[in-house]
C-alpha cells in the first residue's frame, strides 16, 4: 500500500470498527484489522478512533504499551499527516513590548546559564558519556537486527543462532504482530502441521471424552456418580492448567543454556508469546496435547479404580477443551463482560506486562492460592 499524505479531517472520518484510523507521531495507521485483537479490549482503540493517540500511548496510567506495541504499528502505516499551517499575528506595539521583554530576559538567562553550566561541568567531571544512556533507541531496527527475521522460516534461524538464554527469553517475550502466520519451517509440507485452527480441539477430543464417560458407566458407575466425577475432573483440570502453564511452559529459570533447549521452549510455548495474535498457533496441536494427556491419564488410572478414573478423565479432558477454547476466545473475540472481560484483560497482561505471573486462563483461582496473581 502506498503511503499518502492525509489531512486530519480525512483521518477523523475513519472513527468506527469498520474503518479505524489513528494518528501517532504525525503518521496515520489503519488499525481496523487489529481492533478485535487489541490486548486491552477493542473499546480502548474505538474510543480514540480517528484521533491522535501519541500522548495516550505514552500514558502508562491510562493504558501501558510494551515495546512490541510500537513495532506493531509499522504493519498498519497508511500515510503521514499533512502539516497544519498556522499564522500568528501581533500588533506593532505588542511586538515592540515582546522584544523589550526578550532582551531583558536574555541578559538574566545568559548570566544564569553561564553559572549553571560552570556548576554542571564541575559536578559531572568523569561522567562525560552519561547522557548517551538516555538517547532513544530505534526498537524495531534493534530487535530485527539481533533476533529473528519474521520474513524467513523461524526454526532454522533459531537453530543456527548463538543466542544466550537471557537474550532469548528477553526477546521471545516481546510480542510481535504480523499479518497471517509467520513461517516456522521452510517446507510447506512440514509447515501445515504447525497450524491448528481452534475448531480442531473439540473435533479431536469430544469423541475421546464421550468414550471415557461411557467406559465409566460400563464399569458399573451410576449416572449421578459419573456426573459428579466428571465435574471433579473439570476442577482437577483447572489445577493441571495452572501447573502446566507455570512449570512446563514457563520453565524459564531452569532452562539449560543450549540451542536445543531454546528451540524446544520456542516450539512448546515461546512462539505463542512471540506471536500472541497468531490465530493458528494459539490452541494446542493434537500431537502435543496427546503427549501431555498420556502421563496424566496414567497417573489418574494409577490412583483411582478403573471406572472412576475413566469418569474423572472425561471431565478433565472436557476441562482442557474448555480451556483451549477460552484461550482462543480471550485473544480473538469481543468477550462477554461477565467474567470473560476481566479474564481477557488479565491474560493479556500476562503477555504484554508480566509473563512471570497470571498463569490462570479460565480463572484466577490457583494464582490466588499460589500467590502469582497479577495486580492490575
Amino acid at each position: 500500500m502506498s503511503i499518502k499524505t492525509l489531512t486530519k479531517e480525512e483521518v477523523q472520518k475513519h472513527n468506527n470498527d469498520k474503518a479505524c484510523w489513528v494518528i501517532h507521531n504525525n503518521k496515520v495507521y489503519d488499525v481496523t484489522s487489529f481492533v478485535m485483537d487489541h490486548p486491552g479490549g477493542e473499546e480502548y482503540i474505538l474510543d480514540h478512533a480517528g484521533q491522535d493517540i501519541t500522548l495516550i500511548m505514552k500514558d502508562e496510567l491510562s493504558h501501558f504499551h510494551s515495546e512490541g506495541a510500537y513495532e506493531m504499528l509499522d504493519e498498519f502505516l497508511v500515510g503521514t499527516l499533512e502539516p497544519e499551517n498556522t499564522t500568528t499575528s501581533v500588533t506593532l506595539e505588542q511586538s515592540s513590548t515582546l522584544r523589550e521583554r526578550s532582551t531583558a530576559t536574555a541578559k538574566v538567562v545568559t548570566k544564569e546559564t553561564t553559572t549553571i553550566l560552570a556548576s554542571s561541568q564541575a559536578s559531572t567531571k568523569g561522567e562525560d558519556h552519561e547522557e548517551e544512556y538516555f538517547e532513544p533507541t530505534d526498537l524495531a531496527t534493534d530487535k530485527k537486527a539481533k533476533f529473528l527475521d519474521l520474513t524467513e522460516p523461524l526454526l532454522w534461524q533459531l537453530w543456527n543462532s548463538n543466542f544466550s538464554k537471557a537474550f532469548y527469553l528477553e526477546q521471545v517475550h516481546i510480542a510481535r504482530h504480523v499479518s497471517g502466520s509467520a513461517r516456522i519451517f521452510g517446507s510447506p509440507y512440514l509447515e501445515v502441521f504447525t497450524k491448528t485452527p481452534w475448531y480442531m480441539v473439540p473435533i479431536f477430543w469430544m469423541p475421546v471424552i464421550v468414550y471415557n464417560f461411557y467406559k465409566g458407566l460400563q464399569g458399573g458407575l451410576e449416572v449421578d456418580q459419573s456426573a459428579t466425577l466428571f465435574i471433579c475432573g473439570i476442577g482437577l483440570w483447572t489445577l493441571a492448567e495452572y501447573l502446566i502453564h507455570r512449570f512446563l511452559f514457563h520453565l524459564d529459570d531452569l532452562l539449560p543454556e543450549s540451542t536445543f533447549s531454546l528451540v524446544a521452549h520456542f516450539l512448546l510455548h515461546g512462539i505463542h508469546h512471540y506471536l500472541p495474535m497468531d490465530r493458528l498457533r494459539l490452541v494446542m496441536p493434537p500431537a502435543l496435547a496427546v503427549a501431555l494427556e498420556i502421563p496424566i491419564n496414567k497417573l489418574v488410572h494409577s490412583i483411582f479404580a478403573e471406572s472412576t478414573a475413566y469418569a474423572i478423565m472425561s471431565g478433565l479432558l472436557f476441562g482442557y477443551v474448555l480451556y483451549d477454547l477460552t484461550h482462543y476466545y480471550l485473544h480473538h473475540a469481543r468477550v462477554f463482560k461477565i467474567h470473560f472481560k476481566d479474564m481477557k484483560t488479565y491474560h493479556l497482561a500476562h503477555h504484554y506486562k508480566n509473563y512471570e505471573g497470571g498463569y490462570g486462563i479460565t480463572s484466577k483461582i490457583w494464582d490466588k492460592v499460589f500467590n502469582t496473581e497479577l495486580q492490575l
Side-chain angles (χ1 to χ4, degrees), residues 229-239 312 314-316 318-319 322:
L229 292 170
F230 181 86
I231 294 171
C232 289
I234 294 176
L236 186 60
W237 166 257
T238 65
L239 176 59
I312 289 175
S314 66
L316 191 145
F318 186 72
L322 293 179

Side-chain angles (χ1 to χ4, degrees), residues 364-372:
K364 304 177 186 177
I365 292 173
W366 298 107
D367 277 313
K368 293 177 183 292
V369 172
F370 293 108
N371 198 32
T372 54

Side-chain angles (χ1 to χ4, degrees), residues 37 48 62 70 76 100 132-133 179-180 205 222 224 238 269 271 288 315 334 350 365 369:
D37 294 340
H48 300 91
S62 173
Y70 293 96
F76 306 115
E100 290 174 4
E132 293 179 7
Y133 293 102
S179 300
W205 287 106
E222 298 294 333
D224 58 340
T238 65
H269 193 60
I271 190 171
L288 176 58
R334 182 176 285 118
H350 167 76
I365 292 173
V369 172

Side-chain angles (χ1 to χ4, degrees), residues 102-121:
S102 297
T103 302
T105 303
K107 292 178 181 179
V108 176
V109 170
T110 301
K111 183 177 180 181
E112 290 181 350
T113 302
T114 303
T115 305
I116 291 171
L117 284 174
S119 174
S120 176
Q121 289 171 355

